[in-house]
Amino acid sequence: MLLAFIALLALGILHAHAIAAVLPAEYRFAPAAGLGSCEADAGILTPLDANPCLVDGVAILLATAGDDAVVPDGQQILYVLTQGEELAIINAQTDPFFGVNSIGLYTIHTLVYDPNTLDLFEVVIGETTAYDLASQMIQGGGEVCAAMDVVGAAFNVTLCGEPCEANAGSISTSEPEPCLLDGVAFLHVNSQGSGVIPPGYEMVFVLTSGPALVIIDIDLFPFFTVTQTGGFATHPLVYDPATFDLSTVELGVTTAFDVDALLIQGGGAICGSLDMVGATYNVTLCEDPCEADAGTLSGGGVACVVAGTSPLMAFPDGNSVVPDGFETVYVLTFGAELTIIGMNTVPEFIAESLGIHTIHTLVYDPDTLDLSFVEMGVTSAYDVNALLTQGGGTVCASLDMAGVMFSVEDCQPPFCDAYAGTLEADEEQVCLQNGTAVISATAQGDAAVPDGYGVAYALSLGPDLVIVGLSFGPVFTVSQAGEYIIHTLVIDPLTIDPGLVELGVTTGYDIHALLIQGGGQICGALDVAGAPVSVLDCTPANDLCADPTALLIELDCVPLPGDNTHAAPGPGNPGCDFSTVGYSDVWYTFNAGQNTSVNIDLDPGGMTDWGIVVFNACGGTEVACEVQPNAPLEVTVTPGADYVVRIYTNLQFGTGGPFTICLTAAIPSIFCDAGDVSTTEMDTLLYVCQDSQADVIAFLNSSLSTQAYTYILTDADDVIITQLSGVSLDFNGLPMGAYRVWGVSHHGALVGAVPGNTIGEVTSAGYCASISTAYVNVIVDICTGVEALSGQDWALFPNPTHGVLTLLHDGPETDVALRVFDMGGRLVHADQLRMGHGAVLPVTFAEGLVPAVYTVQLISDGRAVTMRLVVQR
């Protein structure tokens, strides 16, 4: 009878609806007996061929049992065949030998049981699972003394000679030579080829190091970080988890060649595909770009010795680049050897010997180049240049090696006793008033003016000293902001014609070069340094009605400073005031909100003869007007309407000045501003290791609003995952992937901020909502080097699940802490369990799990393993 039964199995024609229907009578259910202690142990089955294939439509599954099963008196052994990851029971018999007629995953399980206590008649073929059966037993939390090897002997049945369609494709990178910056280099994939991933297969990316292609990391995403220089490569791998176990890859030991040898493409037996070339990288140390540039100098030529010395002056061309923290110094060298004989903060020196002298510009960082090493008369410009990156060194700095050259000669020029003396600016900073400003200086009385000479004053603009004005007194009127210098000029009208100066073209350096003091032949004097004056455009930002400053309505006055001292006269007469001169005015705006009346409270401060005008729009209807009110001006307004406020001084009778202004009403303004989002460490990009350690990240924002503020977590496509309950989140519990944290400033409750919507769909039930313009990127990845439990010791079934979850333990008996986290990092379930070898335990959630992706963490003996759980609708 047994041989006939096996024959039926091999033909795949067994269609019984219950196991009991095909079992001998002694296997059928009998009245239950007392349980007593349970010593039953199913032992371990081993498949003779884990990858059989269909021959003429039939594959034979055969397993062997060891001697580790324990069958107590009165109990018997039965072998159960299941199909698929759900372990649906499809057959059973007294030998571990079955025939099947379709491809797929199958498992043979050993069942030790007492037919008097375990009812097999209720098992429905194709519906009842091994988990259902095991859950009735003590090992699975039930009451029946029996044992089942739920892991069993697994088989992957394929078609014999079936071609392997897996294809990893190819990848490349646009950055084959990344560099280590702050000790880290990022390896990115530029393009990904068209690989083939058959059903049931998965793709991961493998990072290898060196010519041996030693595998040092594995990730679901094709980007990695490295901390060392050298050769690396990223390879796509397409594999079937049922035939190739990634946990067998030992990072730092296993090579890509080892994996290739296991695959059909490399002569092995496993269907899979590994791109052995991959995207290659040569990681080097980053060389920070040096932006320092000494620029060039003008001047030079023959310089005559007078009274044993010769003044040398060069003129910057204005094309140097001085980075933040850097300084500029001018270096004087002598001879062809460029021996350094002087340094100064300005390009002016006194030569005390005949010969070739050169002035050079040096732009340097005092923190990286200590000039105290320079020994005058010994160190050369070549020595300094050799230390700089431009000369092959490592220091970021710039030295103009060419400089400007002077030939100091004993040419005995005519004696000239003209001296321009010095000036002192009356005001070092002056504001434009109504488009003009008057700048002036005072002579210090130390000029020397020979007989027949005269004194004039020149006004220059900018670093090039472009002359924009000439005068017989040190007073000028200008109409544009800028850096000006007033210079004294002592000249002989017979030798220099001031009419030759072309305003806007001729420079102070041009005049200086004509004079003996600048190496020329003409006796005269120019105070090149002069009296510097900064002319500023002090026009208020709210000078025009088109650019008003927004005012918020408060319950109590919150003074906002203002100033109309330098405001340009505005057009039109207020309805309550008149002026023949004009009005120096500034503008404000506000929204009435829910108010029907608003008070404008102005403290005039330094203003005199002032007034307030309110309009319903720029150029619109005048709503209110009052001159110097002695109490806050009450204005009747329409709720929700915008208004503009003109604060002015009547220039016929008064002057402008600083003041303060505030708005008060029964209902304050509502203003939403999300600002920018960053971590409390001011980061906008973070990498998080998915391990047993918490990775709590806290966030802050630059919002100016007083309204509610909420942080929202999305995926890389801006699809909402969850709202943060506060200002921080533990990212360690999230599945691997890229995430974004946004900020939302809102009045009233948020609308649309639910999982599945995009961040752009978020609004509020109140008056306003503002979403941050940028976000914080967080990449959650698996880190290497973390001691973990063997992935083969634990399993979750089924996964994905519709809510029913079973935990399987195939390792030695142990205590385990079970933690389940949602995608927001919140702990939704915790349990402390005692699990024996082969234990199968249903996990019950008090509140149930909503459809989402969860992280399941198992901690045992100080080690942890993390698995993802997908709950479907």
Side-chain angles (χ1 to χ4, degrees), residues 694-697 699 711-715 720-735 739-741 755 780 820-828 850-855:
D695 289 296
V696 178
I697 300 175
F699 301 91
Y711 295 99
I712 295 179
L713 179 70
T714 74
D715 61 16
I720 295 173
I721 297 173
T722 188
Q723 296 182 37
L724 275 63
S725 59
V727 298
S728 62
L729 177 65
D730 184 358
F731 280 81
N732 184 63
L734 297 182
Y739 299 90
R740 296 173 176 177
V741 176
V780 179
V820 182
F821 301 87
D822 65 12
M823 294 192 71
R826 290 179 290 270
L827 181 67
V828 298
V850 299
V853 177
Y854 296 84
T855 297

Side-chain angles (χ1 to χ4, degrees), residues 477-514:
T477 300
V478 298
S479 58
Q480 73 176 84
E483 298 298 322
Y484 293 86
I485 299 177
I486 301 175
H487 311 266
T488 303
L489 179 62
V490 177
I491 59 171
D492 181 352
L494 298 177
T495 56
I496 294 183
D497 182 3
L500 296 178
V501 175
E502 185 178 354
L503 298 182
V505 177
T506 305
T507 70
Y509 299 121
D510 296 332
I511 296 176
H512 173 74
L514 296 173

Side-chain angles (χ1 to χ4, degrees), residues 369-450:
L369 182 64
D370 184 359
L371 294 182
S372 64
F373 82 94
V374 175
E375 184 178 352
M376 296 297 170
V378 177
T379 307
S380 72
Y382 297 111
D383 296 331
V384 175
N385 187 59
L387 300 175
L388 313 184
T389 54
Q390 70 179 34
T394 60
V395 177
C396 175
S398 177
L399 176 63
D400 177 17
M401 291 294 291
V404 291
M405 187 180 298
F406 298 84
S407 177
V408 180
E409 303 174 6
D410 188 8
C411 47
Q412 297 181 350
F415 177 74
C416 179
D417 59 357
Y419 178 57
T422 55
L423 287 172
E424 184 174 335
D426 294 331
E427 290 184 78
E428 294 182 355
Q429 287 189 341
V430 178
C431 289
L432 291 171
Q433 183 72 41
N434 299 329
T436 62
V438 176
I439 60 177
S440 60
T442 300
Q444 299 303 295
D446 52 352
V449 184

Side-chain angles (χ1 to χ4, degrees), residues 10 67 180 352-353 407 409 449 461 535 728 757 794 798 818 845:
D67 56 1
L180 292 176
E352 298 180 347
S353 61
S407 177
E409 303 174 6
V449 184
L461 174 64
V535 176
S728 62
N757 281 0
W794 303 92
L818 171 67
F845 301 97

Side-chain angles (χ1 to χ4, degrees), residues 740-760:
R740 296 173 176 177
V741 176
W742 301 78
V744 182
S745 170
H746 55 98
H747 173 259
L750 286 177
V751 176
V754 295
N757 281 0
T758 63
I759 190 68

Side-chain angles (χ1 to χ4, degrees), residues 688-712:
V688 170
C689 292
Q690 189 185 71
D691 50 29
S692 61
Q693 302 299 317
D695 289 296
V696 178
I697 300 175
F699 301 91
L700 55 78
N701 61 80
S702 61
S703 173
L704 300 176
S705 173
T706 59
Q707 302 302 314
Y709 201 96
T710 301
Y711 295 99
I712 295 179

